[in-house]
Amino acid sequence: MNIKKLTGQDAAAYRELRLEALLTNPDAFITTYEQEKQRPNPIESTAERLDSSQAITVGAFEGPQLIGVATLIQGSHPKYLHKASIVGVYVTAAHRRSGTAKLLIEEMIKEAASLEIELIQIAVVTDNKPAVRLYEKAGFKIFGTEHHAIKLQDRYLDEYWMEYFISSPGS
């Protein structure tokens, strides 16, 4: 397995995996499959996002196949530059429980440290027990619960807010 930063050249593979994620695990993401399918110029806009300095997306490859992704978004306000969020974590069903997600999260922590980020936050649906366990094993701690964080047609989903300090607070 190979972990690397994605660029615009990976846009088609990223989009294909993103559509799979939205279709197979719709409760884990805010964007819906239908919204993503209707995106104008999808490959071009995806390539722009992957090449942007606003976020870092890493991918896990098994040979030439993209099998997992995660994105790190640093705060843009000067008072938020010390923190970042991890979003869009997904691993194909066939590669779950293989350590792929763990490697992606470890890479996100390394990328954040290289940017002198001190705090990483992540929001995860409370029902997504495997993801919660993954983040806890990586050192993230739950610091709050947002009730009714996501509204679906027939129900609400709560989210845990989790944090990981790269350096100790106040240092």
Side-chain angles (χ1 to χ4, degrees):
M1 182 181 325
N2 180 31
I3 306 285
K4 72 167 193 134
K5 281 187 196 179
L6 300 183
T7 68
Q9 293 188 17
D10 300 301
Y14 176 87
R15 176 159 168 78
E16 182 179 319
L17 190 63
R18 175 82 172 154
L19 288 170
E20 174 188 317
L22 297 174
L23 190 60
T24 60
N25 296 95
D27 288 357
F29 301 96
I30 302 299
T31 304
T32 67
Y33 178 81
E34 293 76 21
Q35 288 170 322
E36 188 67 29
K37 282 293 282 186
Q38 294 172 7
R39 184 184 300 270
N41 303 314
I43 301 301
E44 294 83 2
S45 63
T46 300
E48 287 175 16
R49 281 196 322 272
L50 292 174
D51 285 335
S52 166
S53 62
Q54 304 302 312
I56 296 169
T57 299
V58 296
F61 289 83
E62 185 78 21
Q65 184 70 37
L66 182 62
I67 60 167
V69 293
T71 298
L72 182 77
I73 302 173
Q74 185 174 12
S76 59
H77 190 281
K79 292 182 179 182
Y80 288 161
L81 293 175
H82 69 290
K83 62 184 181 176
S85 297
I86 295 176
V87 299
V89 178
Y90 179 74
V91 174
T92 61
H95 291 88
R96 291 182 189 157
R97 297 182 178 262
S98 68
T100 302
K102 179 179 182 276
L103 291 173
L104 289 167
I105 297 303
E106 288 171 353
E107 188 63 26
M108 292 280 86
I109 293 169
K110 287 180 199 169
E111 291 291 341
S114 75
L115 296 170
E116 298 182 3
I117 289 168
E118 300 168 21
L119 168 65
I120 303 171
Q121 296 175 325
I122 192 163
V124 60
V125 173
T126 59
D127 292 342
N128 191 345
K129 303 299 184 203
V132 172
R133 280 193 303 273
L134 166 71
Y135 303 136
E136 287 177 333
K137 284 181 183 175
F140 285 79
K141 305 250 186 288
I142 296 170
F143 70 90
T145 302
E146 182 179 356
H147 300 283
H148 292 206
I150 299 168
K151 184 177 182 179
L152 304 174
Q153 284 187 332
D154 60 343
R155 61 194 162 102
Y156 293 94
L157 301 174
D158 298 340
E159 284 185 324
Y160 289 134
W161 280 88
M162 302 180 80
E163 62 189 3
Y164 177 94
F165 285 94
I166 293 174
S167 60
S168 58
S171 62

